Amino acid sequence: MKRYCFALDLHNDQNLIDEYVSYHKSVWPEILESIKASGVIDAEIYLVQDRLFMIVEAEDAFTLEKKGEMDSKNETVQKWETLMWSYQKALPNSKPGEKWKLMECIFKL
């Protein structure tokens, strides 16, 4: 199994943050199906203030490139991503359009 950790910020507006959290309490079924179909076994998103942290556990055959390709061809995923981007903001020094930034593991017990 593979583990990936990502970070992303939200716009620092409590109403928008509350809306974002609400969407994630009832994620569209098509989005959940797409995530699972890509080889993701488990995923969690944590929030502190306006910063998000996501942990993804995936099958050994999973790749971020394959997931990205699948997402780019899925109209519902594109609608979801566009909607979510209205709440999200890129981390400093991100490339244009870059959302979730892959984090580097620097300690493991």
Side-chain angles (χ1 to χ4, degrees), residues 11-73:
H11 292 290
N12 193 5
D13 175 312
Q14 193 58 52
N15 290 330
L16 292 176
I17 292 170
D18 291 344
E19 285 180 29
Y20 187 84
V21 169
S22 179
Y23 272 110
H24 284 81
K25 289 183 178 182
S26 56
V27 175
W28 301 346
E30 301 90 348
I31 300 305
L32 299 175
E33 290 170 20
S34 171
I35 292 168
K36 292 174 185 176
S38 73
V40 172
I41 297 166
D42 193 29
E44 297 176 336
I45 298 175
Y46 295 85
L47 172 67
V48 61
Q49 298 172 3
D50 62 350
R51 172 103 357 126
L52 299 170
F53 174 69
M54 179 168 57
I55 303 169
V56 173
E57 292 184 339
E59 299 170 352
D60 288 335
F62 174 88
T63 68
L64 293 172
E65 294 77 18
K66 178 182 169 190
K67 171 91 171 83
E69 185 178 322
M70 289 175 69
D71 289 352
S72 71
K73 296 176 183 176

